[in-house]
Amino acid sequence: MITVMVVDDNSLIRAGLAALLRATPGFEVVAEAAGGMHAIQRATETRPDVVLMDIRMPGVDGITAMKRILAEAGSVPPRVIMLTTFDLDQYVYEALRAGASGFLLKETQPRQLVSAIRVVAEGEKLFAPTVIKRLIDAYVHRPDVPSAPSLSELTPRELEILRLVATGRTNTEIAAGLTISEATVKTHLNRTMTKLSLTSRAQAVMVAYESGLVTPSR
């Protein structure tokens, strides 16, 4: 059973998401919240596996709430999927760097949303491809982008896998393309993230672009 908290200040969206998950076998909605502060409180009380978090909300926004929830969760933090629309790119970028487990557009189809929650609950990362492409195109060369960590400590194989991750390949696709096992891909990626002091696949993607390892297509 995957436990989920739904956070959105729009009552219709929040109720719709909660109803969808309650009607789907294998899911339990343990909390709903209409704002960031309420979400922080309810996350502490219910310890959900996955949080569906709106980004822009009055008072405490979704990014601030996510940071607090992750910081206060202890050794087993929830996976946070940020729900966004294209006019919120700058917020998505900040959430990406903060370690969100996934990004989905609010118009995502119900079947895709359910699948995404399952994927993220299992520890994988999931991003709507259009969100990632737009983020990279719009923000990777911003003047205020923080300096990326040096990649000099990475081995050639680690650099290769980081590049493939940044271009949107899954672990399975990387393993098939390099003729190695998926476990080996995960090992290299974990070592890469440790060397670069990263906590999520999302952060690894941004570092690959910010460092120039991968160049955005125009």
Side-chain angles (χ1 to χ4, degrees), residues 32-45:
E32 297 181 40
M37 279 304 299
H38 191 203
I40 295 167
Q41 175 188 347
R42 295 295 285 142
T44 300
E45 294 170 350

Side-chain angles (χ1 to χ4, degrees), residues 163-197:
R163 179 181 59 79
L164 292 171
V165 166
T167 56
R169 308 290 179 81
T170 65
N171 288 351
T172 301
E173 291 170 338
I174 294 171
L178 298 180
T179 320
I180 58 178
S181 71
E182 191 170 343
T184 300
V185 172
K186 291 181 180 178
T187 297
H188 283 302
L189 186 55
N190 287 338
R191 288 174 180 169
T192 296
M193 293 175 66
T194 298
K195 289 178 180 180
L196 299 179
S197 299

